[in-house]
């Protein structure tokens, strides 16, 4: 099974189409690691397409999400597109734990590894478990949260994963916001963790329309496999 590895007849047009439309690129060429089925094509669900589109159209996105519904995969795939089709793009991933932060970088590495050779426009220059750099100057790096995490970086795409669980996230966010002041994008993601935290404050303000964040709410049942499981339980 080649999963889109065939070289297109009109290579230039196909590359241009991928560069213009991240959803087309992801749906046709990106692969992910499934815990049971191994490496499989990343076929976007409707809510995942919605998120990718909003990553393009809105600088600031905040997402309240269920577990295991592919939001981290979406974010990693968008990072791959951003790095591959644009020079000198920087992606910084911050999370409450080092393993959580490294998870998105690992997904980026998997996607790059399984791209068709003709589509790997910029080869990987450097790769370890914490960061990846392409020859076009684009890179992704993961760090665990700390009071001064990321403050010295100027980033194109800032990802804060499981933000509701990041200690002193209010202090961290105050320090991080200037890193995207020159036009960078932000994705703040988290599963729920009560209401008395900075993540909930940011999400609630976005939902009320009183901030510049675009809100998303993707609960576990949005995943088609979860819906199927739910219907089986009902029946």
């Amino acid at each position: 099974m080649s999963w889109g590895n065939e070289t297109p007849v009109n290579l230039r047009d196909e590359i241009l189409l991928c560069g213009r439309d991240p959803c087309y690129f992801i749906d046709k060429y990106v692969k992910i690691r499934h815990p049971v089925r191994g490496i499989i094509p990343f076929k976007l669900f409707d809510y995942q397409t919605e998120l990718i589109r909003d990553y393009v159209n809105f600088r600031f996105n905040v997402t309240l999400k269920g577990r295991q519904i592919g939001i981290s995969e979406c974010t990693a795939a968008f990072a791959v597109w951003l790095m591959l089709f644009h020079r000198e793009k920087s992606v910084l991933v911050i999370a409450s734990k080092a393993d959580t932060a490294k998870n998105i970088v690992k997904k980026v590495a998997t996607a790059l590894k399984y791209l068709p050779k003709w589509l790997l426009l910029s080869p990987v220059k450097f790769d370890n478990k914490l960061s990846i750099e392409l020859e076009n100057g684009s890179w992704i790096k993961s760090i665990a949260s700390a009071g001064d995490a990321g403050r010295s970086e100027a980033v194109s795409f800032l990802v804060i994963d499981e933000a509701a669980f990041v200690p002193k996230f209010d202090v961290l966010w105050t320090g991080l916001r200037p890193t995207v002041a020159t036009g960078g994008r932000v994705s703040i993601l988290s599963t729920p963790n009560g209401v008395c935290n900075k993540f909930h404050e940011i999400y609630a303000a976005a939902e009320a329309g009183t901030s510049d964040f675009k809100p998303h709410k993707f609960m576990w049942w949005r995943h088609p496999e979860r819906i199927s499981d739910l219907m089986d339980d009902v029946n």
Side-chain angles (χ1 to χ4, degrees):
M1 189 177 296
S2 58
W3 297 327
N5 284 334
E6 305 90 347
T7 303
V9 174
N10 195 325
L11 193 61
R12 179 179 179 275
D13 286 352
E14 185 70 6
I15 291 173
L16 288 174
L17 181 56
C18 288
R20 286 195 298 264
D21 187 347
C23 290
Y24 176 85
F25 163 71
I26 293 166
D27 201 61
K28 190 165 184 180
Y29 295 111
V30 170
K31 296 176 180 63
I32 58 175
R33 189 179 300 277
H34 190 278
V36 176
R37 289 178 281 168
I39 301 299
I40 61 171
F42 189 2
K43 295 300 181 182
L44 294 169
F45 300 127
D46 289 346
Y47 67 90
Q48 294 171 325
T49 298
E50 175 188 335
L51 182 62
I52 296 294
R53 298 281 185 225
D54 284 344
Y55 278 166
V56 174
N57 295 323
F58 298 90
R59 283 185 59 205
F60 298 94
N61 287 269
V62 57
T63 303
L64 179 63
K65 63 187 180 78
R67 297 185 184 280
Q68 303 299 320
I69 61 170
I71 299 304
S72 294
E73 283 79 2
C74 273
T75 304
F78 178 77
V80 170
W81 174 82
L82 188 67
M83 294 166 60
L84 196 62
F85 291 96
H86 305 81
R87 291 182 176 275
E88 304 292 340
K89 293 298 182 182
S90 50
V91 182
L92 181 64
V93 183
I94 297 177
S96 57
K97 298 179 181 179
D99 285 346
T100 304
K102 286 190 295 186
N103 189 41
I104 289 180
V105 175
K106 185 177 180 179
K107 294 177 191 302
V108 167
T110 297
L112 289 169
K113 178 180 179 180
Y114 289 98
L115 282 177
K117 290 183 179 179
W118 58 265
L119 193 49
L120 191 60
L121 305 179
S122 182
V124 175
K125 179 180 178 181
F126 176 80
D127 180 5
N128 64 24
K129 293 182 178 180
L130 297 175
S131 62
I132 299 169
E133 184 179 351
L134 304 184
E135 289 187 0
N136 66 2
S138 293
W139 54 262
I140 182 170
K141 179 169 67 174
S142 68
I143 54 178
S145 63
D148 59 351
R151 289 192 181 202
S152 62
E153 310 282 357
V155 299
S156 308
F157 185 39
L158 172 64
V159 179
I160 306 173
D161 200 7
E162 291 296 5
F165 298 86
V166 172
K168 299 182 179 179
F169 178 49
D170 53 343
V171 176
L172 180 67
W173 175 239
T174 299
L176 284 172
R177 183 137 191 174
T179 67
V180 294
T182 56
R185 300 175 184 278
V186 178
S187 174
I188 301 179
L189 312 165
S190 191
T191 50
N193 187 28
V195 298
C196 297
N197 57 69
K198 185 64 176 179
F199 171 78
H200 179 264
E201 178 186 321
I202 292 172
Y203 179 80
E207 201 169 45
T210 58
S211 77
D212 47 6
F213 274 88
K214 170 72 173 178
H216 302 274
K217 187 175 184 179
F218 302 131
M219 294 294 95
W220 65 272
W221 48 263
R222 291 291 299 272
H223 194 293
E225 292 179 7
R226 308 298 186 276
I227 295 174
S228 178
D229 292 342
L230 184 61
M231 292 306 295
D232 289 343
D233 290 342
V234 172
N235 293 330

